[in-house]
Amino acid sequence: MNGNRVGTAYALTTFARILPGKADELEGYLGSMPKGPESPFARLGMLHIARVQIFRALVHQGPLQKHTDTLQNAHLVFTSTIDGDLDPYLNALAEHVPEADEWWGRCAGYPGRTDVAVFRAWVRDRQVDTGLFQSAIPTASVGDVREALALREDVLDFAVAAQGLDAATLQQRFRSTF
Amino acid sequence: MTGLTLFTPIRRQWVWMLAVGFPLTRHLPFMRRHILQFNFIKFVRWTIVRELDGERLHYPYLFFESNFDGPWQHYIDAFAYVIPTDIRVTWGRGPGFPAPPPAEPLKAWIAQNSMEGGTYYCAHAEDSTRMVKSALVVRERFDELRRTAAVLGPEEFKAEWERFLSENQAHL
């Protein structure tokens, strides 16, 4: 069993070295990215969750940590939780999210998105396989989730409106509503 | 929806335990249920990072990312008091880990190790894990009702509708 996958959900974890002198502007760019429905990630129908972060140092854990790890570079962590396979996601990322050039373009060796196969290979080279991945909704796509939430609201509204109806009217309204 | 990311060292002599334990957990349904017993967790992952490009590290690192409802302080209270052994077995492989309970030293440790900033996106950020799971249950059962309704008379349908509401009231 692949640790990156549970059900139809897939966890992508990547680390990329940020080029010298680029961390500040990259941090500023990430901090200014639109959120919610305006986020560039909202263009990707298979994407549940994405996170892009920078780290410049590793936290020393106190006197019980014998050695100190001092980073020579800043690094970019890019993670995604998607429904489906990795390649279609990376293809969609390359096609619909030019903003990827902003974060990975400041990382070492980034080839750009022009050649999608090269782009995919570069991201995969930076992937670290997940040891353990768990999902509360392992087989639900984003579309499933949205459809189910909308249906639940419709059912609730119908239940409230249908209180006290006789059987024939209830069935007729049900058929016309759903 | 909140995203929590931790990146913490693992003592080299204990990496094997996590390297064996994570795949083992994937194959044990009761362990999977154990992890997801908290109905506020949507997605959670643990990744052992043995190297970073351009770095010489003394330790491998444990990358942890969790996506859950509400502030992480509530989440950690539940973790610290309900599954302290799991927490100790996992993060106790690193130096200086404050084994819970109590929860407060653990919260301080998480605040110290949490990776902040960047950008975060969730396609259903406004909908809690419980709400999403309930909606998926309702959809599945409603599809059954819809199929059944097509062949029932009015009185039978009314009885089915009322049974549907009664059986799914916890999800509506």
Side-chain angles (χ1 to χ4, degrees), chain B residues 11-81:
Chain B
R11 282 170 291 188
R12 287 203 177 273
Q13 66 267 33
W14 289 116
V15 176
W16 68 269
M17 182 185 275
L18 299 178
V20 170
F22 289 148
L24 195 63
T25 300
R26 296 203 299 268
H27 291 87
L28 300 173
F30 74 94
M31 285 301 291
R32 293 206 299 274
R33 284 195 297 273
H34 197 60
I35 293 166
L36 292 172
Q37 66 179 292
F38 304 105
N39 59 13
F40 45 73
I41 302 175
K42 259 185 196 163
F43 304 101
V44 60
R45 72 177 72 178
W46 290 261
T47 303
I48 298 170
V49 180
R50 297 172 189 272
E51 56 186 19
L52 284 172
D53 183 20
E55 311 293 347
R56 292 187 65 183
L57 301 176
H58 291 95
Y59 299 89
Y61 280 75
L62 181 61
F63 179 81
F64 170 75
E65 184 187 276
S66 183
N67 300 275
F68 51 91
D69 309 324
W72 64 257
Q73 286 82 357
H74 297 177
Y75 170 83
I76 300 309
D77 276 332
F79 263 34
Y81 290 102

Side-chain angles (χ1 to χ4, degrees), chain A residues 1 12-13 17 48 50-53 61 67 69 72-73 75 79-81 131-132 134 136 152 171, chain B residues 3 5 26 32 42 44-46 53 55 58-59 61 65 109 113 115 118-119 121 123-124 139 152 171:
Chain A
M1 192 191 289
L12 170 69
T13 308
R17 176 167 57 85
H48 285 290
R51 194 160 199 193
V52 194
Q53 289 178 288
Q61 305 296 317
H67 307 284
D69 278 330
Q72 305 302 308
N73 310 274
H75 295 264
T79 63
S80 303
T81 302
L132 181 60
Q134 291 291 283
R152 181 174 171 272
Q171 187 176 40
Chain B
T5 307
R26 296 203 299 268
R32 293 206 299 274
K42 259 185 196 163
V44 60
R45 72 177 72 178
W46 290 261
D53 183 20
E55 311 293 347
H58 291 95
Y59 299 89
Y61 280 75
E65 184 187 276
W109 181 85
N113 285 284
M115 288 168 61
T119 191
Y121 169 77
H124 27 81
R139 188 180 73 152
L152 295 178
H171 298 294

